[in-house]
Amino acid sequence: MVSRVIPVDRFDLVIFGATGDLANRKILPGLYRRALAGQIPDGSKIIGAARTEMGAEEFRAQVKAAIREHVEPAKIEASAVKDFLAMLDYVAIDAKGDGGWDELKTKVRPDAVNAFYFSVAPALFGDLAERLHSRGIAGPDARIVVEKPFGRDLKSAKALNRELAAHFDEAQIYRIDHYLGKETVQNLMAVRFANILFEPVWNAQFVDHVQITVAETVGVGGRGSYYDKSGAMRDMVQNHMMQLLCLIAMEPPYHFDPDAVRDEKLKVIRALQPVAPQDIVRGQYLARGDEAGYLEDSEDPNSKTESYIALKAHVANWRWTNTPFYLRTGKRLRARTSEIAITFKEPPHSIFDEAEGEWRENVLVIRLQPNEGMNLKMMIKEPGPGGMRLVQVPLDMSFAEALGEEADITDAYERLIMDVIRGNQTLFMRGDEVEAAWAWTDPIIEGWEARGERPQPYDSGTSGPDDALMLMHRDGRRWREIRE
Ligand code: NAP
């Protein structure tokens, strides 16, 4: 199967923060890959903006180096790189200053799709929005893309929403959560809502529990003081994991339409119960060999910020009452992996004796990384003449194999930026969703802060703190192994 590349309309994309890490590692290499794939029409322009004074040629040299560093060598084609660099331009602008805006205005054409990517600290979102609007650069059809973190609690998220809403309609605001751009995540909606097979069993009657795991092997070294103000709950659970939970738990939208999908996700977030303290485990990784522990990395020897969190969440509605959702995420764990596992219940009656093999539950595993794909663990008869013996086997579908080359290269950022140009907000968080997610998260964080709790230390390279195992053991369940 070969995936199709559908070109978008001609656009002018302004990237604020074009000299920064995200722009150089993800956004610009991603745009190059889309250009190489033939998705970007001739005449489109990508305009870098940041405070650094430089000309367009210097910016092109920077982007050329970024492509060399971050695009796989097989995708670097001299003529494609040349064509891509020819699309680039640069304007030196301080988000808080007055210089550069008139020049930018001359470069953004009203007859192309206009998009403005705020790849800068959230403290600058309001300044950028105000200037783009007041100087007549962004018209009513322009789109703005904002990066995470979108606030650090409900109050700050509301303030950011207000700052943006003062100048842009909600329909123009694209809040990026790159997890939503992953092939598998979108496929989750296709699997649930384009097949009759799963939906009838997608509820508390048939699903025993759901596990969502996002495990990283890296620590926070290098950005420790930034991470220390955030922690795993704010950095991963409130946004990425919450979005995954929503896609698993939501009701079928009446149509695959941005607001219909986001309305259903919002209902899930609002149905989340407060989490009891005994259903939360927080951890901090310890040093290993010459790798520093969290307390050294964070530069605060007394830090109480968690680099690991596991918690049990409940969605209080008809579909999910009594089906727990176990979420865990952490740094310096055994392997780098992200997956959602839906574990189904036992059949109501077994016609097989124990001698015929041990029954194991059906599990639908949705892998986000590495090797995006799905896998359904099923019981079958062991092949061969040895009589009836049951074994559990995975029905495996790796998207890279199923879809050919294109499947594993379309990075989430690339897909999401193309959606911005198309004007499709389905995979972007709406303002009320973000606020509802913080409204659930805030009391959890306030709870452990009020109790003065310290995270439990855990050894690097393991599955996290022991208490996290107990969180499931006490319910007679266990975590899936963390492995690639
Ligand atoms: P970064 O490397 O520190 O880059 C920040 C960018 O903002 C630079 O281009 C900087 O350029 C520009 N900038 C700073 N102050 C400015 C001002 N007053 N006016 C105009 N431009 C200004 O940060 P980053 O890692 O790229 O992250 C950018 C945003 O994405 C942040 O909100 C971050 O939280 C978010 N994010 C990043 C990642 C990631 O992997 N890096 C992942 C998810 C989200 P000058 O100094 O030249 O002005």
Side-chain angles (χ1 to χ4, degrees):
M1 199 191 308
V2 179
S3 51
R4 285 179 303 147
V5 172
I6 304 168
V8 294
D9 290 338
R10 191 171 65 109
F11 62 83
D12 289 346
L13 169 67
V14 179
I15 304 173
F16 292 103
T19 54
D21 173 68
L22 185 68
N24 282 283
R25 218 161 35 80
K26 287 284 181 188
I27 304 172
L28 289 156
L31 284 162
Y32 163 73
R33 288 198 201 90
R34 290 298 87 214
L36 179 72
Q39 199 162 19
I40 300 189
D42 289 344
S44 294
K45 281 200 303 186
I46 297 163
I47 303 159
R51 288 169 307 179
T52 304
E53 293 287 344
M54 65 174 146
E57 271 318 308
E58 226 180 309
F59 181 56
R60 288 187 189 116
Q62 173 207 299
V63 176
K64 191 174 178 185
I67 291 174
R68 280 222 193 89
E69 192 178 347
H70 299 292
V71 175
E72 39 294 63
K75 300 268 167 213
I76 301 184
E77 292 177 15
S79 65
V81 174
K82 187 164 164 263
D83 292 348
F84 181 71
L85 296 180
M87 280 184 217
L88 303 182
D89 203 344
Y90 184 83
V91 186
I93 283 188
D94 183 339
K96 291 182 173 295
D98 290 322
W101 295 99
D102 291 341
E103 188 188 348
L104 182 64
K105 190 169 179 183
T106 64
K107 293 182 191 279
V108 177
R109 298 161 298 177
D111 62 343
V113 173
N114 293 170
F116 301 88
Y117 199 129
F118 294 5
S119 181
V120 294
L124 299 175
F125 291 175
D127 296 303
L128 290 176
E130 188 276 317
R131 283 165 175 73
L132 284 172
H133 182 241
S134 65
R135 288 163 194 255
I137 302 171
D141 296 327
R143 288 134 213 192
I144 57 170
V145 185
V146 295
E147 266 297 336
K148 82 165 208 183
F150 201 85
R152 67 182 315 276
D153 51 22
L154 179 58
K155 190 168 166 233
S156 52
K158 277 187 169 171
L160 276 180
N161 273 336
R162 265 198 309 274
E163 282 182 325
L164 299 179
H167 309 289
F168 292 90
D169 286 342
E170 184 61 35
Q172 298 178 276
I173 304 171
Y174 291 71
R175 294 175 193 79
I176 278 223
D177 184 326
H178 69 273
Y179 266 62
L180 287 181
K182 289 184 178 286
E183 184 77 25
T184 328
V185 171
Q186 294 170 72
N187 225 318
L188 190 54
M189 283 190 273
V191 164
R192 282 195 61 192
F193 303 129
N195 296 288
I196 191 76
L197 267 184
F198 290 110
E199 206 45 32
V201 292
W202 208 263
N203 55 52
Q205 197 188 339
F206 295 98
V207 176
D208 179 73
H209 73 278
V210 176
Q211 293 185 27
I212 305 179
T213 301
V214 177
E216 295 177 280
T217 49
V218 292
V220 301
R223 52 180 208 120
S225 53
Y226 159 79
Y227 185 89
D228 205 48
K229 294 184 200 75
S230 160
M233 186 73 182
R234 288 190 170 98
D235 192 46
M236 295 300 297
V237 178
Q238 183 274 344
N239 39 52
H240 307 315
M241 299 184 84
M242 172 81 79
Q243 289 293 322
L244 299 180
L245 185 151
C246 283
L247 294 175
I248 297 286
M250 73 184 194
E251 295 300 317
Y254 72 89
H255 190 247
F256 189 61
D257 157 276
D259 275 326
V261 170
R262 298 186 299 176
D263 285 347
E264 296 305 334
K265 288 198 296 171
L266 179 62
K267 287 183 206 161
V268 174
I269 303 174
R270 290 194 172 145
L272 280 169
Q273 296 277 75
V275 182
Q278 65 272 23
D279 289 339
I280 306 168
V281 177
R282 296 162 68 233
Q284 267 180 354
Y285 58 81
L286 293 169
R288 177 179 57 178
D290 7 329
E291 288 177 332
Y294 182 80
L295 293 177
E296 291 98 331
D297 275 346
S298 73
E299 297 163 21
D300 174 2
N302 291 313
S303 170
K304 292 182 183 164
T305 304
E306 74 287 354
S307 63
Y308 174 100
I309 188 162
L311 59 84
K312 180 163 75 165
H314 285 283
V315 180
N317 63 17
W318 274 41
R319 189 186 280 264
W320 294 116
T321 289
N322 296 329
T323 294
F325 287 71
Y326 298 93
L327 276 46
R328 67 177 162 167
T329 181
K331 299 199 175 284
R332 283 276 189 81
L333 296 178
R334 190 188 299 283
R336 177 172 178 259
T337 179
S338 302
E339 63 164 42
I340 304 166
I342 294 133
T343 301
F344 292 89
K345 291 186 175 171
E346 274 187 54
H349 166 73
S350 175
I351 63 167
F352 300 104
D353 293 331
E354 271 178 31
E356 283 153 351
E358 192 192 345
W359 177 83
R360 306 275 298 276
E361 55 282 84
N362 294 138
V363 187
L364 177 67
V365 182
I366 298 144
R367 273 193 319 272
L368 279 73
Q369 66 187 23
N371 312 324
E372 290 194 50
M374 292 196 191
N375 150 343
L376 178 62
K377 293 194 190 315
M378 297 192 54
M379 299 302 291
I380 63 159
K381 177 193 167 296
E382 196 175 80
M388 177 59 85
R389 294 277 312 156
L390 298 178
V391 283
Q392 192 188 44
V393 292
L395 275 181
D396 214 335
M397 186 171 87
S398 147
F399 294 147
E401 276 167 31
L403 300 177
E405 270 194 0
E406 186 70 12
D408 62 341
I409 54 152
T410 311
D411 175 88
Y413 272 99
E414 295 170 37
R415 180 173 290 119
L416 291 173
I417 296 171
M418 292 299 103
D419 276 358
V420 172
I421 306 299
R422 285 191 200 100
N424 187 333
Q425 289 184 303
T426 311
L427 300 175
F428 297 83
M429 293 177 295
R430 211 168 52 190
D432 51 3
E433 258 184 276
V434 179
E435 290 186 11
W438 281 120
W440 178 73
T441 310
D442 275 3
I444 299 175
I445 296 175
E446 284 159 10
W448 73 57
E449 283 178 353
R451 295 188 295 276
E453 282 170 12
R454 282 199 166 277
Q456 274 182 31
Y458 61 93
D459 287 328
S460 290
T462 64
S463 304
D466 292 342
D467 279 8
L469 302 180
M470 290 310 298
L471 179 71
M472 290 203 82
H473 283 188
R474 44 166 222 254
D475 294 347
R477 302 184 174 104
R478 56 178 149 134
W479 292 107
R480 286 166 49 77
E481 203 183 320
I482 294 181
R483 61 186 162 111
E484 282 195 2

